[in-house]
Amino acid sequence: QVQLQESGPGLVKPSETLSLTCTVSGGSINFYYWAWIRQPPGEGFEWIGYIYYSGSTDYNPSLKSRVTISVDTSKNQFSLNLTSVTAADTAIYYCARIPTSGSVWFDPWGQGTLVTVSS
Amino acid sequence: SYVLTQPPSVSVAPGKTATITCGGNNIGTKSVHWYQQKPGQAPVVVIYYDRDRPSGIPERFSGSNSGNTATLTISRVEAGDEADFYCQVWDSSRDHLVLFGGGTKLTVL
């Protein structure tokens, strides 16, 4: 079955750019939407954005000015860039697949990767 | 802005039925999805499109959605069901916004 794995630095300095990649295995990235979601330690979830395999995107308005999600179908990967980070961006970052059209829901999720923003 | 409201905690004895609610204005007009998250693990969807159950999720998990409340029901609760549960919707009318409830901690007594 499809599995997702996040990768990237676990520590980012304030004002710098957080960059993560999600590698999809066990299936093709084509013909699906793919998402990034984050969870501050001990808190609930915040949707960051999603991308279609063709490259079209939707972002959370609260993060839109700082977020870019891109896709590389040749590598079966999609990526997240979040600029000008602060301590408030410290969170577990998850990537996930959106299984069907008609509504947005997430299955499966990657295991998540903790990103800490600190100098 | 649209808000999803969940009780912070629900406690239930083993073998009994747990009911976790997710409140939102006219939530019955939206599709609601439910996730279970155990400590240190990624979330797993247990109910999608209000009442559909993914393969591998026990029949003890069921969902409903009407009016201003969506409900996740867990019958014959087991110790292994203890987890945080989150509801989630997609608001197709507003910036295609994806929203999560604040989560409910299910404690099995």
Side-chain angles (χ1 to χ4, degrees):
Chain A
Q1 73 259 19
V2 171
Q3 293 183 310
L4 291 80
Q5 178 67 59
E6 304 88 351
S7 59
L11 181 64
V12 181
K13 290 182 168 57
S15 80
E16 296 190 344
T17 296
L18 179 159
S19 296
L20 297 174
T21 295
C22 182
T23 300
V24 179
S25 59
S28 174
I29 203 167
N30 291 332
F31 309 115
Y32 284 98
Y33 284 87
W34 304 88
W36 287 100
I37 302 138
R38 69 182 184 179
Q39 182 179 34
E43 298 184 23
F45 296 100
E46 180 179 33
W47 166 67
I48 299 170
Y50 52 74
I51 187 167
Y52 195 43
Y53 79 100
S54 62
S56 62
T57 55
D58 257 318
Y59 299 132
N60 189 326
S62 69
L63 298 170
K64 191 172 186 175
S65 63
R66 299 193 293 129
V67 172
T68 303
I69 298 176
S70 58
V71 63
D72 187 338
T73 55
S74 68
K75 294 183 179 179
N76 239 30
Q77 294 177 335
F78 61 106
S79 298
L80 168 69
N81 274 5
L82 180 66
T83 62
S84 305
V85 298
T86 69
D89 295 308
T90 294
I92 300 172
Y93 285 75
Y94 294 97
C95 59
R97 186 183 68 173
I98 299 171
T100 64
S101 60
S103 183
V104 173
W105 55 290
F106 308 107
D107 180 57
W109 297 53
Q111 67 183 27
T113 187
L114 175 63
V115 178
T116 302
V117 178
S118 175
S119 55
Chain B
S1 62
Y2 197 80
V3 176
L4 297 176
T5 301
Q6 296 183 239
S9 63
V10 167
S11 298
V12 64
K16 300 300 186 183
T17 297
T19 300
I20 299 173
T21 58
C22 177
N25 188 34
N26 288 323
I27 196 173
T29 63
K30 304 181 189 302
S31 294
V32 179
H33 319 289
W34 291 91
Y35 303 88
Q36 177 187 46
Q37 186 182 35
K38 296 182 178 180
Q41 297 184 19
V44 172
V45 61
V46 293
I47 293 290
Y48 62 100
Y49 285 114
D50 298 338
R51 60 180 65 247
D52 290 341
R53 197 174 49 250
S55 60
I57 300 301
E59 292 184 8
R60 301 183 296 104
F61 288 80
S62 62
S64 64
N65 184 17
S66 179
N68 294 318
T69 304
T71 302
L72 173 69
T73 302
I74 309 171
S75 305
R76 301 180 302 281
V77 166
E78 302 173 357
D81 297 332
E82 189 163 285
D84 294 325
F85 289 86
Y86 295 88
C87 59
Q88 177 252 310
V89 301
W90 176 56
D91 190 341
S92 59
S93 63
R94 291 187 64 248
D95 295 319
H96 292 177
L97 199 59
V98 176
L99 298 165
F100 289 89
T104 298
K105 168 69 175 175
L106 176 66
T107 299
V108 181
L109 301 170

